[in-house]
Amino acid sequence: MIENELAESLSLQPESILTAAPALLAPLFPLAAALLPGFSQGGKRTVLMVRASLLSLAAALSASVLVMLRGESHLACFQVDALTAVMLPLVCFLAAVVTRYSGPYLAGDPGQNRFTKWLGLTFCSVLTLILAGNLLLFALAWAATSLSLHRLLTFYRDRPAARLAANKKFLSSRLGDLCLAASLVPAWQSFGTWDFREMFAASAGSGVSPTMLAFLLVFAALLKSAQFPFHTWLPDTMETPTPVSALMHAGIINAGGFLVLRLSPLLVQVPVVMDVLAITGAFTALFASLVMLPQTSVKRSLAYSTIAQMGFMMLECGLGAFALAALHIVAHSLYKAHAFLSSGSVVAAQKTAWKPTERRGGFPIILPAILAAASLTWAAAAWFRPHPPSDPGVWLLGSIFVMGLASFLRNVWSASRDPVLIAHGLLAGGAAAVACFGAHALFERMLAGVLPDHAPQRSPFEILVLAGIAVLFLTVMALQARLASGTGNRHLRALHVHLANGFYLGEQANRWTARIFRTRARPL
């Protein structure tokens, strides 16, 4: 039987090599550009890295086309499937943009060559993570990504704030690495292999997955994605160069979500783990969306926005909307890369931007009409789905989408009572709803063979929790409106101060980090 399996694998190998070869080349280009000798000047190595990232992008696009034409491919420790075909071009595109931006940004800096080297090694690690087809290679690439990023976070070694933020990130990352490394033990004990395909097949055949394995994987994902209460390092990393911020917020922070997506066939077998994902993600999203409002720094505001987005993505994963979470990763990566790389122009625009004065008390009066309009828009867009959703989790996500549309329409109402502008806002909201549902349906179709179709029977308690999450989102939306209106209520003023300081969790984490690194770690 072993001989037959070996012969079968060898017979499929040429086709697998043909399909996987372009994908496997993608991480090699930035690796070569980072390690090749003879490019000691930063500007020359940056030019080389830009060309290498473009070659990686071409290889990734070729691999995606081959996956669509020939299907998925498995070669040794690597896996090239539909999820790889989505994530690989995304990361390569971001690498090309960030590398190109970093050239003029760091021109003349004495550390440019060092920066470009570690940037290339970071991209190579992320691409290897996406291509990994077994848990051991995934864990090694996961750790390599974090260690390479640490070198970029400490690029300005003379800045105490940068070192402190990098040390906080280092501690959180090592804890995540420990969880992922520890998961190798129950995975091997339960399945006798670390290969993803064999693990998924064994789990599907038995209908169960090791609970300890699932918890370790989820904890690693939550730590990587800066979920509460391990989120304080992310807003403090603004001391790094802007290209690093764009790379981290648009790419590396999504690694936790990618872990959940890649190993979702195992996680859906443990309902309590899915509930932990949903509840932690929902709380993080609500917490960060409030703390984001009073921030006076554009980059810190964007950092809390990233935390909130990652929390919402974990909520999507916990509810089983894996295709929607994959779409969220793509959209958030592109948006956040643009937001960070254009943050300077945002500051300039804010100085001359017209800020409307909102009428006090307008929100409670207009809220029912806005929610009704947003609900009708969402219901109209839902008709594009071939089958109406029956899972309460899907309806929860739809309700949150309605609240987002309501918030958008409320901002339009506050800016102007002009009927023409309001009509334009309704049309824009409707177009956004149609685009969201259309893209979601497209991703569901593309990733149907990779991500599980998870629609469990919800217990009454779970339905009650989902309803509570919806009420919390509605409450936070109303509170955001009150905070933005600048009312003179003394309780709101006190809340504004606490929110601006993130409820002082960052200061407490700073004290712990300084104590640990002063006594147990050598200075950077």
Side-chain angles (χ1 to χ4, degrees):
M1 185 177 66
I2 296 177
E3 294 177 354
N4 293 335
E5 292 178 355
L6 180 60
E8 183 180 356
S9 64
L10 291 175
S11 65
L12 296 176
Q13 193 173 12
E15 184 177 353
S16 297
I17 292 176
L18 179 62
T19 304
L24 299 182
L25 286 175
L28 297 180
F29 292 121
L31 178 63
L35 299 181
L36 277 178
F39 293 89
S40 58
Q41 295 182 4
K44 292 183 178 180
R45 191 173 296 277
T46 300
V47 172
L48 179 64
M49 189 64 68
V50 170
R51 295 174 180 174
S53 61
L54 292 175
L55 289 174
S56 295
L57 178 59
L61 292 173
S62 301
S64 299
V65 173
L66 289 174
V67 169
M68 288 188 292
L69 295 178
R70 295 175 173 269
E72 64 182 47
S73 173
H74 302 270
L75 185 64
C77 299
F78 300 96
Q79 180 171 334
V80 183
D81 55 13
L83 184 59
T84 309
V86 170
M87 296 298 300
L88 205 65
L90 173 66
V91 173
C92 291
F93 175 74
L94 293 174
V97 172
V98 170
T99 305
R100 176 66 182 86
Y101 183 94
S102 67
Y105 182 89
L106 291 171
D109 193 298
Q112 185 178 12
N113 182 54
R114 172 169 53 90
F115 176 89
T116 306
K117 282 184 178 181
W118 286 109
L119 190 65
L121 293 175
T122 303
F123 284 134
C124 176
S125 302
V126 175
L127 294 175
T128 304
L129 179 75
I130 294 172
L131 290 167
N134 70 53
L135 191 58
L136 177 60
L137 180 60
F138 192 97
L140 293 175
W142 178 278
T145 300
S146 178
L147 294 173
S148 300
L149 177 64
H150 184 76
R151 294 291 183 175
L152 294 175
L153 292 177
T154 55
F155 178 71
Y156 295 122
R157 299 178 181 179
D158 57 334
R159 297 184 180 181
R163 293 200 307 270
L164 179 60
N167 289 341
K168 283 203 296 184
K169 170 66 170 64
F170 186 86
L171 292 175
S172 178
S173 296
R174 297 294 72 75
L175 187 56
D177 294 346
L178 181 62
C179 290
L180 196 55
S183 70
L184 294 171
V185 177
W188 185 267
Q189 291 176 341
S190 301
F191 306 115
T193 180
W194 288 318
D195 183 82
F196 287 154
R197 287 186 303 163
E198 297 178 9
M199 290 168 60
F200 298 161
S203 178
S206 63
V208 295
S209 290
T211 303
M212 180 59 67
L213 171 63
F215 268 110
L216 289 171
L217 294 174
V218 164
F219 287 155
L222 294 177
L223 286 164
K224 193 75 165 184
S225 297
Q227 298 297 281
F228 185 92
F230 301 99
H231 65 283
T232 59
W233 60 268
L234 191 61
D236 292 342
T237 56
M238 298 302 106
E239 292 286 334
T240 61
T242 297
V244 180
S245 299
L247 167 67
M248 184 168 50
H249 289 261
I252 295 177
I253 196 72
N254 294 317
F258 179 76
L259 183 153
V260 174
L261 294 178
R262 175 58 80 195
L263 298 169
S264 54
L266 295 179
L267 301 181
V268 295
Q269 306 291 348
V270 186
V272 65
V273 166
M274 302 294 288
D275 293 338
V276 169
L277 268 178
I279 294 173
T280 305
F283 182 84
T284 302
L286 294 170
F287 173 83
S289 63
L290 284 174
V291 176
M292 175 185 67
L293 288 179
Q295 301 301 317
T296 56
S297 167
V298 172
K299 286 188 175 183
R300 286 187 69 86
S301 179
L302 289 174
Y304 278 107
S305 170
T306 296
I307 296 171
Q309 293 288 341
M310 292 301 100
F312 189 66
M313 186 184 65
M314 289 299 173
L315 171 62
E316 293 165 344
C317 291
L319 296 177
F322 296 113
L324 183 60
L327 172 62
H328 197 159
I329 287 179
V330 174
H332 177 262
S333 297
L334 297 175
Y335 153 70
K336 198 52 64 78
H338 175 268
F340 268 99
L341 296 181
S342 61
S343 56
S345 59
V346 170
V347 175
Q350 283 294 104
K351 294 180 179 179
T352 57
W354 173 68
K355 299 178 177 59
T357 302
E358 183 179 313
R359 299 178 184 177
R360 186 173 299 179
F363 179 75
I365 298 174
I366 197 62
L367 177 59
I370 289 177
L371 284 175
S375 301
L376 290 175
T377 305
W378 177 73
W383 282 103
F384 284 85
R385 296 183 61 87
H387 304 290
S390 57
D391 182 16
V394 177
W395 287 105
L396 170 62
L397 294 175
S399 301
I400 296 173
F401 187 81
V402 165
M403 296 176 201
L405 281 180
S407 180
F408 169 74
L409 295 174
R410 178 193 166 276
N411 290 336
V412 175
W413 175 271
S414 300
S416 173
R417 307 300 169 91
D418 185 358
V420 176
L421 183 61
I422 295 174
H424 287 171
L426 288 171
L427 291 175
V434 172
C436 178
F437 278 90
H440 184 196
L442 176 62
F443 269 65
E444 280 186 333
R445 179 166 184 155
M446 287 193 309
L447 302 174
V450 180
L451 303 178
D453 185 11
H454 184 61
Q457 293 294 326
R458 306 285 182 181
S459 66
F461 176 75
E462 287 179 315
I463 295 176
L464 182 63
V465 171
L466 296 179
I469 291 175
V471 172
L472 285 176
F473 268 93
L474 183 62
T475 303
V476 168
M477 186 182 73
L479 184 58
Q480 286 175 332
R482 284 298 189 189
L483 290 172
S485 65
T487 57
N489 185 290
R490 67 182 182 88
H491 297 293
L492 287 180
R493 289 200 302 269
L495 179 61
H496 186 280
V497 174
H498 296 315
L499 289 173
N501 291 278
F503 289 98
Y504 314 100
L505 295 174
E507 285 72 13
Q508 184 63 44
N510 289 344
R511 286 196 290 268
W512 289 344
T513 302
R515 186 178 306 164
I516 291 173
F517 273 82
R518 184 172 58 249
T519 58
R520 299 185 182 179
R522 60 184 178 87
L524 297 174

